[in-house]
Amino acid sequence: MGWYDRKVRRVRDLSCGDTRIYLELEVRRVECRDCGKVKREQLDFLADNPLYTKRFAYYVGRRCRQATIKDVAKELALDWHTVKALEMQYMQAQLARAGTPAPRVIGIDEISIRKGHTYRIVVSDLIRGRPIWFGGEDRSEASMSAFYAWLGARKSSRLRLAVMDMWKPFRLATQAHAPQAAILFDKFHIMRHLGEALDTIRKREYARLSGRDRRYIKGQKYTLLSRRENLTLDGKRALKALLAANKRLNTAYVLKESFGQLWSYEREGWARRFFENWRASLKWQRLEPYEKFAAMIDRHWDGIAAYCRPENKVSLGFVEGLNNKIRVIQRRAYGLHNEDYLRLKVLTCMLPAL
């Protein structure tokens, strides 16, 4: 290596309100004696884009956690693509600081990245409360197996619990690659199935009735599906009128509300007794969707009863909360077409700022 020359470069360092701060750097260039090319001196405090410092790149990354790329670009008088590149460097630095994951309890779910049933799998570390893997081609067993290949056989053998919905490919892949891990079916997905059964009953009652009898049911889908304590005063009044007017919906609503008690038991025998009593109460009620739901619970009982064991008491709301956060990210950007960028957004959405 031999010195070639020195070049003064103006580098953007920070923004303070309307004031833009720049640094005047003397960057040395060297001539490589082996290849004959002239190369720029590497400076640790510069971003991947040498016109900006790392401090400025991290400032841009922090702003993008609360605002869209378009808004940040307008605020800082930068090109849209420049802001995106600086934010991606910031997110990669976040992942590097977080380190390599070695989870003991994982949560598995899929997200839709575009219309047409295009899915990707998201796996989270439920103890540390952060997503650790985003990938796959769909929600098949092969895509789920790709996660365990990425995690490695040694770390897969240390998993003790996998929380998922009742999607069969997820269960089969987990049993094949981490047979020692207990499988727990997510409460929120199970209650979603029960809510869908209740909505089917509501639709059938609306079709069965005619005239003025329909007025209590029309437009009350979310009133019926919501928990009573989450309703407004007007919602509680509408729910009371609906349940008083329709006996079958009243029975279905009470059964739906009571089913949540299943996750409060600390012994599997008590939980099973509660479920059998709940299932017996469906007799003569003519609630066919509930009977199908009960049969589904019976088929997947082992993955539900696993929550009764003390070592499996984990927060089941994290996966659902993460899904909501991902949907907010997608809506704020009006859809994300760059999958690498979406992957970084998902994997860093729960990490602390740099």
Side-chain angles (χ1 to χ4, degrees):
M1 289 287 185
W3 296 118
Y4 185 79
D5 64 4
R6 298 168 184 259
K7 184 176 181 181
V8 177
R9 172 167 289 169
R10 196 164 178 252
V11 179
R12 181 113 173 236
D13 181 44
L14 199 59
S15 291
C16 300
D18 295 332
T19 304
R20 302 173 193 170
I21 301 175
Y22 293 87
L23 298 177
E24 294 287 344
L25 299 179
E26 190 178 70
V27 181
R28 292 175 293 188
R29 299 194 300 169
V30 295
E31 184 180 29
C32 180
R33 293 172 181 172
D34 295 331
C35 65
K37 294 182 179 180
V38 177
K39 300 182 180 181
R40 178 178 55 83
E41 179 185 16
Q42 297 295 323
L43 300 176
D44 292 339
F45 61 86
L46 290 183
D48 292 343
N49 185 332
L51 298 178
Y52 306 94
T53 64
K54 279 186 180 179
R55 182 166 66 166
F56 181 72
Y58 290 178
Y59 173 78
V60 171
R62 288 192 296 270
R63 288 291 297 116
C64 287
R65 288 170 70 97
Q66 290 88 31
T68 64
I69 293 178
K70 181 179 178 181
D71 291 338
V72 175
K74 183 178 180 181
E75 174 190 334
L76 301 177
L78 294 172
D79 181 72
W80 186 92
H81 295 90
T82 299
V83 172
K84 183 177 179 181
L86 293 175
E87 185 193 4
M88 290 183 72
Q89 181 181 355
Y90 171 79
M91 292 188 290
Q92 289 163 353
Q94 281 184 293
L95 288 178
R97 178 173 291 186
T100 305
R104 294 291 185 271
V105 179
I106 59 173
I108 305 169
D109 203 0
E110 75 277 354
I111 64 166
S112 174
I113 61 171
R114 65 179 66 92
K115 293 182 179 179
H117 299 286
T118 305
Y119 295 99
R120 295 294 180 265
I121 299 173
V122 179
V123 182
S124 305
D125 185 335
L126 295 188
I127 294 179
R128 291 175 174 81
R130 53 162 290 209
I132 58 174
W133 190 79
F134 174 96
E137 298 297 326
D138 45 28
R139 51 178 184 164
S140 64
E141 183 178 349
S143 291
M144 188 67 242
S145 297
F147 161 72
Y148 291 105
W150 169 83
L151 189 63
R154 184 173 61 87
K155 291 183 179 179
S156 295
S157 65
R158 295 180 179 179
L159 290 174
R160 64 174 180 83
L161 181 65
V163 180
M164 63 186 74
D165 59 17
M166 291 180 284
W167 185 242
K168 188 176 180 180
F170 292 172
R171 184 173 75 252
L172 293 178
T174 301
Q175 290 172 341
H177 296 279
Q180 79 292 339
I183 293 177
L184 175 62
F185 295 131
D186 188 6
K187 169 185 175 181
F188 294 94
H189 286 89
I190 294 172
M191 294 303 292
R192 187 179 301 164
H193 283 287
L194 183 55
E196 291 171 357
L198 176 58
D199 191 48
T200 301
I201 296 170
R202 181 192 66 84
K203 292 176 180 177
R204 292 181 180 179
E205 285 299 290
Y206 184 80
R208 183 179 65 85
L209 300 173
S210 60
R212 297 188 63 188
D213 292 336
R214 285 183 166 187
R215 69 184 186 276
Y216 296 104
I217 301 176
K218 186 175 182 180
Q220 299 300 324
K221 173 182 177 179
Y222 295 104
T223 300
L224 197 62
L225 295 180
S226 300
R227 294 181 64 86
R228 189 187 298 268
E229 58 266 24
N230 295 334
L231 293 173
T232 63
L233 183 59
D234 290 339
K236 291 178 180 178
R237 289 172 179 168
L239 177 64
K240 183 177 180 181
L242 170 62
L243 299 183
N246 192 294
K247 182 179 178 181
R248 188 173 298 174
L249 282 178
N250 181 53
T251 302
Y253 182 81
V254 171
L255 286 168
K256 189 265 289 186
E257 289 290 286
S258 65
F259 189 81
Q261 184 179 339
L262 180 65
W263 282 269
S264 64
Y265 292 101
E266 298 181 354
R267 294 189 180 181
E268 183 178 346
W270 295 349
R272 185 69 193 189
R273 186 182 307 167
F274 167 81
F275 171 68
E276 292 297 343
N277 291 337
W278 187 90
R279 191 177 190 179
S281 65
L282 300 178
K283 194 174 183 181
W284 312 116
Q285 299 296 340
R286 294 181 296 170
L287 299 174
E288 182 186 352
Y290 273 27
E291 293 171 2
K292 291 181 178 179
F293 171 77
M296 180 188 69
I297 295 299
D298 192 36
R299 291 195 304 271
H300 298 86
W301 178 254
D302 289 343
I304 298 170
Y307 192 67
C308 296
R309 303 178 194 127
E311 65 272 16
N312 295 340
K313 297 289 185 182
V314 295
S315 174
L316 297 180
F318 177 82
V319 175
E320 193 69 16
L322 176 63
N323 271 351
N324 291 334
K325 199 171 186 70
I326 294 172
R327 283 192 285 269
V328 169
I329 292 172
Q330 291 175 308
R331 282 199 303 270
R332 191 169 68 186
Y334 296 97
L336 293 169
H337 302 289
N338 185 335
E339 196 166 318
D340 289 335
Y341 179 74
L342 176 59
R343 173 183 168 274
L344 288 173
K345 292 290 281 187
V346 170
L347 295 181
T348 60
C349 65
M350 296 294 185
L351 293 180
L354 294 180

